[in-house]
């Protein structure tokens, strides 16, 4: 009788607005201001309602201005899934046993740009911050790919931002995966070949200490490069490429559906010549 009484009370409480996801779950996107006690009651009623419906996962998107509702959610068994500048995503699993909700994004994606002019000079920079600050080490322009940005576009953008050099993406030469990097996430780093379309350098004042065209041999001769196995391998790949003995992966626009924007498939075009 007592359980039925609780359920009857719950049924009198308004259910949180939600939309179904594609995996037998629901997504709640909080928008309106709400008293924490009222929210807690609505959340209890909603969980019972969705459990009866056979739902599995529950997602609650909490905007930063409603962060005071997080405590009530956690007390009901929700956990932090991921956070962005303007919201926090919470998750809850209804069935017994281990949940099968997808984990948060586990990788960060970065690029390095190999840009060489007709004089066999490479575009290099010295950074104002990070591990190379004050070291005097000259390095290729590097950066992180933005959300929703293609690799090829990121490489062009980073070169432009750091040096004001306009460049054309040619191909991905190689990539490296590492772990326990930024905030313990894994890291994917793509080495990209770019063709310069302009040559007058103007360094980025906020992040770059210096930028210049340097003879490739001088870049290679740096003690830091000579002692670093990864950089030595990268240099070897770059040299083999400019000597026309190696080809990387071109960015080929491709779309699965006519109404979608183009994505890029990266592959070595030489295979098409052999067909």
């Amino acid at each position: 009788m007592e359980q039925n009484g609780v359920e009857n009370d719950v049924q009198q409480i308004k259910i949180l607005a939600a939309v179904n996801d594609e995996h037998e779950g629901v997504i709640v996107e909080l928008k309106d201001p709400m008293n924490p006690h009222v929210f807690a009651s609505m959340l209890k009623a909603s969980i019972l309602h969705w459990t009866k419906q056979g739902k599995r996962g529950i997602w609650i998107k909490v905007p930063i201005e409603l962060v005071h509702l997080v405590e009530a959610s956690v007390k009901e068994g929700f956990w932090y899934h991921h956070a962005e500048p303007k919201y926090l995503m919470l998750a809850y699993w209804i069935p017994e046993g281990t949940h099968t909700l997808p984990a948060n994004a586990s990788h960060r994606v970065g690029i390095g740009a190999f840009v060489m002019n007709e004089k066999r000079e490479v575009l290099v920079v010295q950074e104002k911050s990070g591990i190379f600050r004050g070291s005097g080490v000259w390095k290729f322009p590097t950066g992180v790919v933005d959300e929703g940005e293609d690799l090829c576009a990121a490489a062009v953008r980073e070169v432009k931002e750091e040096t004001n050099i306009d460049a054309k993406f040619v191909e991905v030469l190689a990539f490296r995966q590492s772990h326990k990097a930024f905030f313990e996430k894994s890291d994917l780093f793509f080495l990209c070949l770019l063709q310069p379309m302009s040559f007058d350098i103007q360094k980025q004042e906020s992040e770059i200490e210096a930028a210049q065209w340097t003879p490739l041999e001088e870049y290679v001769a740096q003690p830091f490069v000579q002692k670093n196995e990864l950089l030595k391998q990268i240099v070897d790949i770059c040299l083999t490429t400019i000597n026309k003995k190696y080809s990387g992966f071109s960015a080929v626009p491709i779309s699965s559906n006519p109404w979608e924007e183009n994505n890029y498939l990266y592959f070595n075009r030489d295979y098409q010549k052999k067909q």
Side-chain angles (χ1 to χ4, degrees), residues 9-162:
D9 290 341
V10 164
Q11 289 175 357
Q12 304 304 315
I13 301 173
K14 186 178 179 181
I15 302 299
L16 291 168
V19 296
N20 295 325
D21 65 16
E22 297 177 351
H23 306 283
E24 301 180 62
V26 294
I27 303 171
V28 177
E29 187 168 350
L30 300 178
K31 296 179 180 180
D32 300 325
M34 196 179 308
N35 179 282
H37 298 294
V38 174
F39 172 73
S41 298
M42 292 180 66
L43 184 57
K44 288 178 184 290
S46 299
I47 293 174
L48 181 60
H49 173 72
W50 293 323
T51 300
K52 288 183 175 181
Q53 287 188 332
K55 300 300 182 182
R56 298 163 63 83
I58 303 174
W59 302 91
I60 297 183
K61 184 177 181 181
V62 185
I64 195 168
E65 59 269 19
L66 298 183
V67 69
H68 60 285
L69 302 179
V70 170
E71 183 178 2
S73 302
V74 172
K75 286 182 177 179
E76 289 301 319
F78 282 80
W79 67 86
Y80 295 171
H81 186 268
H82 66 271
E84 295 293 341
K86 294 186 178 181
Y87 74 86
L88 176 69
M89 185 68 79
L90 304 174
Y92 182 94
W93 185 245
I94 295 177
E96 295 183 1
T98 305
H99 76 81
T100 59
L101 296 176
N104 184 25
S106 60
H107 285 68
R108 182 179 68 161
V109 180
I111 61 91
F114 175 58
V115 189
M116 190 174 71
N117 62 24
E118 294 181 351
K119 301 178 182 178
R120 285 179 65 92
E121 296 173 329
V122 291
L123 184 63
V124 292
V125 299
Q126 290 182 343
E127 296 178 338
K128 284 186 175 181
S129 60
I131 61 174
F132 295 109
R133 177 183 179 183
S135 66
V137 170
W138 292 99
K139 57 184 288 294
F140 295 158
T142 58
V144 177
V145 179
D146 291 336
E147 182 178 353
E149 184 179 38
D150 294 303
L151 281 174
C152 48
V156 171
R157 173 183 56 77
E158 284 292 346
V159 168
K160 180 67 173 179
E161 288 180 356
E162 293 191 0

Side-chain angles (χ1 to χ4, degrees), residues 173-207:
L173 297 179
F175 73 91
R176 177 220 62 193
Q177 183 181 28
S178 62
H179 305 287
K180 301 295 181 181
F182 190 70
F183 287 114
E184 299 298 301
K185 300 294 185 181
S186 296
D187 185 88
L188 288 171
F189 178 83
F190 291 82
L191 175 64
C192 301
L193 173 64
L194 277 71
Q195 177 185 351
M197 307 302 288
S198 66
F199 303 94
D200 293 331
I201 294 173
Q202 183 178 344
K203 70 182 180 72
Q204 184 183 39
E205 292 297 334
S206 60
E207 298 181 12

